[in-house]
Short mmCIF file of all heavy atoms in Angstrom, two decimals:
data_model
loop_
_atom_site.label_atom_id
_atom_site.label_comp_id
_atom_site.label_asym_id
_atom_site.label_seq_id
_atom_site.Cartn_x
_atom_site.Cartn_y
_atom_site.Cartn_z
N CYS A 5 49.40 -36.58 -60.15
CA CYS A 5 48.98 -36.92 -61.50
C CYS A 5 48.51 -38.37 -61.62
O CYS A 5 47.56 -38.66 -62.35
CB CYS A 5 50.12 -36.65 -62.48
SG CYS A 5 50.44 -34.90 -62.74
N SER A 6 49.18 -39.27 -60.91
CA SER A 6 48.76 -40.67 -60.98
C SER A 6 47.34 -40.84 -60.45
O SER A 6 46.57 -41.67 -60.96
CB SER A 6 49.73 -41.57 -60.21
OG SER A 6 49.80 -41.20 -58.85
N PHE A 7 46.97 -40.03 -59.47
CA PHE A 7 45.60 -40.07 -58.94
C PHE A 7 44.63 -39.27 -59.81
O PHE A 7 43.66 -39.79 -60.36
CB PHE A 7 45.57 -39.55 -57.51
CG PHE A 7 44.18 -39.36 -56.95
CD1 PHE A 7 43.38 -40.45 -56.67
CD2 PHE A 7 43.68 -38.08 -56.71
CE1 PHE A 7 42.08 -40.28 -56.17
CE2 PHE A 7 42.40 -37.90 -56.21
CZ PHE A 7 41.61 -39.00 -55.94
N ALA A 8 44.91 -37.98 -59.96
CA ALA A 8 43.95 -37.07 -60.57
C ALA A 8 43.83 -37.25 -62.08
O ALA A 8 42.72 -37.22 -62.62
CB ALA A 8 44.32 -35.62 -60.24
N CYS A 9 44.95 -37.42 -62.77
CA CYS A 9 44.90 -37.57 -64.22
C CYS A 9 44.24 -38.88 -64.63
O CYS A 9 43.51 -38.93 -65.63
CB CYS A 9 46.30 -37.47 -64.82
SG CYS A 9 47.05 -35.83 -64.66
N THR A 10 44.49 -39.93 -63.87
CA THR A 10 43.83 -41.21 -64.14
C THR A 10 42.32 -41.09 -63.98
O THR A 10 41.55 -41.54 -64.85
CB THR A 10 44.35 -42.31 -63.20
OG1 THR A 10 45.75 -42.44 -63.36
CG2 THR A 10 43.68 -43.64 -63.47
N ALA A 11 41.89 -40.47 -62.88
CA ALA A 11 40.46 -40.28 -62.64
C ALA A 11 39.83 -39.43 -63.74
O ALA A 11 38.75 -39.75 -64.27
CB ALA A 11 40.25 -39.63 -61.28
N ALA A 12 40.50 -38.34 -64.12
CA ALA A 12 39.96 -37.43 -65.14
C ALA A 12 39.90 -38.09 -66.51
O ALA A 12 38.95 -37.88 -67.27
CB ALA A 12 40.81 -36.16 -65.20
N PHE A 13 40.91 -38.90 -66.83
CA PHE A 13 40.94 -39.59 -68.13
C PHE A 13 39.77 -40.56 -68.26
O PHE A 13 39.09 -40.59 -69.30
CB PHE A 13 42.27 -40.33 -68.29
CG PHE A 13 42.37 -41.10 -69.56
CD1 PHE A 13 42.69 -40.46 -70.75
CD2 PHE A 13 42.15 -42.48 -69.59
CE1 PHE A 13 42.77 -41.18 -71.95
CE2 PHE A 13 42.23 -43.20 -70.77
CZ PHE A 13 42.54 -42.54 -71.96
N ILE A 14 39.53 -41.34 -67.22
CA ILE A 14 38.43 -42.31 -67.27
C ILE A 14 37.09 -41.60 -67.30
O ILE A 14 36.18 -41.97 -68.06
CB ILE A 14 38.52 -43.27 -66.07
CG1 ILE A 14 39.77 -44.16 -66.22
CG2 ILE A 14 37.27 -44.14 -65.95
CD1 ILE A 14 40.06 -45.03 -65.03
N TYR A 15 36.96 -40.53 -66.51
CA TYR A 15 35.71 -39.78 -66.48
C TYR A 15 35.44 -39.10 -67.83
O TYR A 15 34.29 -38.97 -68.26
CB TYR A 15 35.76 -38.74 -65.36
CG TYR A 15 34.48 -37.95 -65.21
CD1 TYR A 15 33.26 -38.56 -65.01
CD2 TYR A 15 34.51 -36.55 -65.25
CE1 TYR A 15 32.08 -37.84 -64.86
CE2 TYR A 15 33.35 -35.81 -65.10
CZ TYR A 15 32.14 -36.46 -64.91
OH TYR A 15 30.99 -35.72 -64.77
N LYS A 16 36.50 -38.67 -68.51
CA LYS A 16 36.34 -38.04 -69.82
C LYS A 16 35.74 -39.02 -70.82
O LYS A 16 34.99 -38.62 -71.72
CB LYS A 16 37.71 -37.55 -70.31
CG LYS A 16 37.66 -36.76 -71.61
CD LYS A 16 39.04 -36.26 -72.00
CE LYS A 16 38.97 -35.46 -73.31
NZ LYS A 16 40.32 -34.95 -73.70
N LYS A 17 36.06 -40.31 -70.66
CA LYS A 17 35.54 -41.34 -71.56
C LYS A 17 34.09 -41.71 -71.22
O LYS A 17 33.34 -42.15 -72.10
CB LYS A 17 36.41 -42.59 -71.48
CG LYS A 17 37.86 -42.38 -71.89
CD LYS A 17 37.98 -41.98 -73.35
CE LYS A 17 39.43 -41.82 -73.75
NZ LYS A 17 39.57 -41.40 -75.18
N LYS A 18 33.73 -41.54 -69.97
CA LYS A 18 32.38 -41.90 -69.53
C LYS A 18 31.88 -40.86 -68.54
O LYS A 18 32.06 -41.01 -67.33
CB LYS A 18 32.37 -43.30 -68.89
CG LYS A 18 30.99 -43.83 -68.57
CD LYS A 18 31.06 -45.23 -68.01
CE LYS A 18 29.66 -45.78 -67.73
NZ LYS A 18 29.70 -47.14 -67.16
N ARG A 19 31.24 -39.82 -69.05
CA ARG A 19 30.86 -38.68 -68.22
C ARG A 19 29.52 -38.95 -67.54
O ARG A 19 28.50 -38.32 -67.83
CB ARG A 19 30.81 -37.41 -69.05
CG ARG A 19 32.16 -37.05 -69.68
CD ARG A 19 32.17 -35.66 -70.27
NE ARG A 19 32.16 -34.64 -69.25
CZ ARG A 19 33.25 -34.16 -68.64
NH1 ARG A 19 34.44 -34.65 -68.97
NH2 ARG A 19 33.16 -33.22 -67.74
N LYS A 20 29.55 -39.92 -66.66
CA LYS A 20 28.40 -40.26 -65.83
C LYS A 20 28.89 -40.47 -64.40
O LYS A 20 30.09 -40.51 -64.15
CB LYS A 20 27.72 -41.54 -66.33
CG LYS A 20 27.12 -41.41 -67.72
CD LYS A 20 26.44 -42.71 -68.13
CE LYS A 20 25.82 -42.59 -69.51
NZ LYS A 20 25.13 -43.85 -69.92
N LEU A 21 27.95 -40.61 -63.49
CA LEU A 21 28.31 -40.85 -62.09
C LEU A 21 29.18 -42.09 -61.97
O LEU A 21 30.20 -42.08 -61.26
CB LEU A 21 27.05 -41.00 -61.24
CG LEU A 21 27.25 -41.33 -59.76
CD1 LEU A 21 28.05 -40.23 -59.08
CD2 LEU A 21 25.91 -41.54 -59.07
N SER A 22 28.82 -43.15 -62.67
CA SER A 22 29.60 -44.38 -62.61
C SER A 22 31.02 -44.15 -63.13
O SER A 22 31.99 -44.71 -62.61
CB SER A 22 28.92 -45.49 -63.41
OG SER A 22 28.76 -45.10 -64.77
N GLY A 23 31.16 -43.32 -64.16
CA GLY A 23 32.48 -43.01 -64.71
C GLY A 23 33.34 -42.26 -63.71
O GLY A 23 34.55 -42.52 -63.60
N ALA A 24 32.73 -41.33 -62.97
CA ALA A 24 33.47 -40.58 -61.95
C ALA A 24 33.94 -41.50 -60.83
O ALA A 24 35.09 -41.42 -60.39
CB ALA A 24 32.59 -39.46 -61.39
N ILE A 25 33.05 -42.39 -60.39
CA ILE A 25 33.41 -43.30 -59.29
C ILE A 25 34.50 -44.27 -59.72
O ILE A 25 35.49 -44.47 -59.02
CB ILE A 25 32.16 -44.05 -58.80
CG1 ILE A 25 31.18 -43.08 -58.15
CG2 ILE A 25 32.55 -45.14 -57.79
CD1 ILE A 25 29.86 -43.70 -57.76
N VAL A 26 34.32 -44.88 -60.91
CA VAL A 26 35.33 -45.81 -61.42
C VAL A 26 36.66 -45.08 -61.60
O VAL A 26 37.73 -45.60 -61.26
CB VAL A 26 34.87 -46.45 -62.75
CG1 VAL A 26 36.02 -47.22 -63.39
CG2 VAL A 26 33.69 -47.38 -62.51
N GLY A 27 36.61 -43.87 -62.13
CA GLY A 27 37.82 -43.10 -62.34
C GLY A 27 38.55 -42.81 -61.05
O GLY A 27 39.78 -42.95 -60.98
N LEU A 28 37.81 -42.42 -60.02
CA LEU A 28 38.44 -42.11 -58.73
C LEU A 28 39.03 -43.35 -58.08
O LEU A 28 40.12 -43.30 -57.49
CB LEU A 28 37.42 -41.44 -57.80
CG LEU A 28 37.04 -40.01 -58.18
CD1 LEU A 28 35.82 -39.54 -57.40
CD2 LEU A 28 38.21 -39.06 -57.94
N PHE A 29 38.33 -44.47 -58.18
CA PHE A 29 38.87 -45.71 -57.61
C PHE A 29 40.11 -46.17 -58.39
O PHE A 29 41.09 -46.63 -57.79
CB PHE A 29 37.81 -46.81 -57.60
CG PHE A 29 36.96 -46.82 -56.37
CD1 PHE A 29 35.74 -46.15 -56.33
CD2 PHE A 29 37.37 -47.50 -55.23
CE1 PHE A 29 34.96 -46.14 -55.18
CE2 PHE A 29 36.59 -47.50 -54.07
CZ PHE A 29 35.39 -46.82 -54.05
N CYS A 30 40.07 -46.04 -59.72
CA CYS A 30 41.25 -46.40 -60.51
C CYS A 30 42.42 -45.46 -60.22
O CYS A 30 43.57 -45.90 -60.14
CB CYS A 30 40.91 -46.37 -62.00
SG CYS A 30 39.84 -47.72 -62.55
N GLY A 31 42.11 -44.17 -60.04
CA GLY A 31 43.14 -43.22 -59.68
C GLY A 31 43.76 -43.55 -58.33
O GLY A 31 44.99 -43.45 -58.15
N TRP A 32 42.92 -43.95 -57.41
CA TRP A 32 43.38 -44.37 -56.08
C TRP A 32 44.35 -45.55 -56.20
O TRP A 32 45.47 -45.52 -55.67
CB TRP A 32 42.16 -44.73 -55.24
CG TRP A 32 42.41 -45.17 -53.84
CD1 TRP A 32 43.60 -45.17 -53.16
CD2 TRP A 32 41.44 -45.67 -52.92
NE1 TRP A 32 43.42 -45.63 -51.87
CE2 TRP A 32 42.10 -45.95 -51.70
CE3 TRP A 32 40.07 -45.90 -53.01
CZ2 TRP A 32 41.43 -46.46 -50.58
CZ3 TRP A 32 39.40 -46.40 -51.90
CH2 TRP A 32 40.08 -46.67 -50.70
N GLY A 33 43.93 -46.58 -56.91
CA GLY A 33 44.77 -47.76 -57.07
C GLY A 33 46.05 -47.46 -57.83
O GLY A 33 47.13 -47.95 -57.46
N CYS A 34 45.96 -46.65 -58.87
CA CYS A 34 47.13 -46.28 -59.65
C CYS A 34 48.14 -45.53 -58.79
O CYS A 34 49.35 -45.81 -58.85
CB CYS A 34 46.71 -45.43 -60.85
SG CYS A 34 48.07 -44.93 -61.91
N MET A 35 47.66 -44.60 -57.99
CA MET A 35 48.56 -43.82 -57.14
C MET A 35 49.29 -44.72 -56.14
O MET A 35 50.49 -44.56 -55.92
CB MET A 35 47.79 -42.74 -56.38
CG MET A 35 48.68 -41.76 -55.65
SD MET A 35 47.87 -41.03 -54.22
CE MET A 35 47.85 -42.42 -53.08
N VAL A 36 48.58 -45.66 -55.55
CA VAL A 36 49.19 -46.56 -54.57
C VAL A 36 50.33 -47.35 -55.21
O VAL A 36 51.45 -47.42 -54.67
CB VAL A 36 48.14 -47.52 -53.97
CG1 VAL A 36 48.82 -48.61 -53.13
CG2 VAL A 36 47.15 -46.75 -53.11
N LEU A 37 50.07 -47.92 -56.38
CA LEU A 37 51.09 -48.74 -57.05
C LEU A 37 52.26 -47.89 -57.53
O LEU A 37 53.43 -48.26 -57.35
CB LEU A 37 50.46 -49.48 -58.23
CG LEU A 37 49.41 -50.53 -57.88
CD1 LEU A 37 48.79 -51.12 -59.14
CD2 LEU A 37 50.00 -51.64 -57.02
N VAL A 38 51.94 -46.76 -58.14
CA VAL A 38 52.99 -45.89 -58.67
C VAL A 38 53.89 -45.38 -57.56
O VAL A 38 55.12 -45.35 -57.68
CB VAL A 38 52.37 -44.72 -59.47
CG1 VAL A 38 53.41 -43.64 -59.74
CG2 VAL A 38 51.79 -45.23 -60.78
N MET A 39 53.28 -44.98 -56.44
CA MET A 39 54.08 -44.40 -55.37
C MET A 39 54.91 -45.44 -54.63
O MET A 39 55.97 -45.13 -54.09
CB MET A 39 53.19 -43.63 -54.39
CG MET A 39 52.59 -42.36 -55.01
SD MET A 39 53.81 -41.34 -55.91
CE MET A 39 54.89 -40.84 -54.58
N LEU A 40 54.46 -46.68 -54.60
CA LEU A 40 55.31 -47.73 -54.04
C LEU A 40 56.60 -47.87 -54.85
O LEU A 40 57.69 -47.99 -54.30
CB LEU A 40 54.56 -49.07 -54.01
CG LEU A 40 53.53 -49.26 -52.89
CD1 LEU A 40 52.83 -50.60 -53.05
CD2 LEU A 40 54.18 -49.16 -51.52
N LEU A 41 56.44 -47.83 -56.18
CA LEU A 41 57.61 -47.92 -57.05
C LEU A 41 58.53 -46.71 -56.86
O LEU A 41 59.75 -46.87 -56.68
CB LEU A 41 57.17 -48.01 -58.51
CG LEU A 41 58.28 -47.93 -59.56
CD1 LEU A 41 59.27 -49.08 -59.40
CD2 LEU A 41 57.69 -47.90 -60.96
N TRP A 42 57.95 -45.51 -56.87
CA TRP A 42 58.77 -44.30 -56.79
C TRP A 42 59.35 -44.09 -55.39
O TRP A 42 60.42 -43.52 -55.25
CB TRP A 42 57.98 -43.09 -57.26
CG TRP A 42 57.95 -43.04 -58.76
CD1 TRP A 42 57.01 -43.62 -59.58
CD2 TRP A 42 58.92 -42.46 -59.62
NE1 TRP A 42 57.34 -43.41 -60.89
CE2 TRP A 42 58.51 -42.70 -60.96
CE3 TRP A 42 60.10 -41.75 -59.41
CZ2 TRP A 42 59.23 -42.25 -62.05
CZ3 TRP A 42 60.82 -41.29 -60.50
CH2 TRP A 42 60.39 -41.55 -61.80
N ASN A 43 58.65 -44.53 -54.37
CA ASN A 43 59.24 -44.48 -53.03
C ASN A 43 60.46 -45.40 -52.96
O ASN A 43 61.47 -45.06 -52.33
CB ASN A 43 58.23 -44.88 -51.96
CG ASN A 43 57.27 -43.76 -51.60
OD1 ASN A 43 56.06 -43.95 -51.58
ND2 ASN A 43 57.81 -42.58 -51.31
N TYR A 44 60.37 -46.54 -53.61
CA TYR A 44 61.51 -47.46 -53.64
C TYR A 44 62.70 -46.83 -54.38
O TYR A 44 63.85 -46.95 -53.95
CB TYR A 44 61.11 -48.76 -54.33
CG TYR A 44 62.27 -49.68 -54.62
CD1 TYR A 44 62.86 -50.45 -53.62
CD2 TYR A 44 62.79 -49.77 -55.92
CE1 TYR A 44 63.93 -51.28 -53.89
CE2 TYR A 44 63.87 -50.60 -56.20
CZ TYR A 44 64.43 -51.35 -55.18
OH TYR A 44 65.50 -52.17 -55.45
N LEU A 45 62.41 -46.10 -55.47
CA LEU A 45 63.47 -45.54 -56.29
C LEU A 45 64.05 -44.24 -55.72
O LEU A 45 65.27 -44.04 -55.74
CB LEU A 45 62.94 -45.26 -57.71
CG LEU A 45 62.52 -46.48 -58.54
CD1 LEU A 45 61.89 -46.03 -59.85
CD2 LEU A 45 63.72 -47.38 -58.81
N ILE A 46 63.18 -43.35 -55.22
CA ILE A 46 63.60 -41.99 -54.91
C ILE A 46 63.82 -41.73 -53.43
O ILE A 46 64.72 -40.97 -53.05
CB ILE A 46 62.56 -40.97 -55.45
CG1 ILE A 46 62.43 -41.12 -56.97
CG2 ILE A 46 62.96 -39.55 -55.10
CD1 ILE A 46 63.68 -40.81 -57.73
N THR A 47 63.03 -42.35 -52.56
CA THR A 47 63.13 -42.06 -51.12
C THR A 47 64.54 -42.24 -50.56
O THR A 47 64.99 -41.41 -49.76
CB THR A 47 62.12 -42.91 -50.33
OG1 THR A 47 60.80 -42.59 -50.77
CG2 THR A 47 62.22 -42.63 -48.84
N PRO A 48 65.27 -43.29 -50.95
CA PRO A 48 66.65 -43.41 -50.43
C PRO A 48 67.53 -42.21 -50.77
O PRO A 48 68.44 -41.86 -50.03
CB PRO A 48 67.17 -44.68 -51.11
CG PRO A 48 65.95 -45.46 -51.45
CD PRO A 48 64.90 -44.44 -51.79
N ILE A 49 67.21 -41.54 -51.90
CA ILE A 49 68.03 -40.41 -52.34
C ILE A 49 67.68 -39.15 -51.56
O ILE A 49 68.54 -38.50 -50.96
CB ILE A 49 67.84 -40.16 -53.85
CG1 ILE A 49 68.26 -41.40 -54.65
CG2 ILE A 49 68.65 -38.94 -54.30
CD1 ILE A 49 67.93 -41.32 -56.13
N TYR A 50 66.38 -38.78 -51.55
CA TYR A 50 66.04 -37.48 -50.96
C TYR A 50 65.82 -37.53 -49.45
O TYR A 50 65.83 -36.49 -48.79
CB TYR A 50 64.86 -36.83 -51.69
CG TYR A 50 63.48 -37.24 -51.28
CD1 TYR A 50 62.77 -36.53 -50.32
CD2 TYR A 50 62.85 -38.33 -51.88
CE1 TYR A 50 61.49 -36.88 -49.97
CE2 TYR A 50 61.56 -38.69 -51.53
CZ TYR A 50 60.89 -37.96 -50.58
OH TYR A 50 59.61 -38.31 -50.24
N MET A 51 65.67 -38.74 -48.88
CA MET A 51 65.56 -38.83 -47.42
C MET A 51 66.86 -39.31 -46.78
O MET A 51 66.98 -39.32 -45.56
CB MET A 51 64.41 -39.77 -47.02
CG MET A 51 63.02 -39.24 -47.37
SD MET A 51 62.64 -37.63 -46.65
CE MET A 51 62.76 -37.97 -44.91
N GLY A 52 67.81 -39.76 -47.61
CA GLY A 52 69.07 -40.25 -47.07
C GLY A 52 68.95 -41.57 -46.35
O GLY A 52 69.77 -41.91 -45.48
#
């Protein structure tokens, strides 16, 4: 969701090629940051 929903939200606001590219790059960056946080929080629990 951090990747795909971010990309789709931005593209929905600007339905052009540039909107799709910006959305995908923002989704990429959002996923990286979000997963660093959640890996820090959750990985110790489910990976032991």
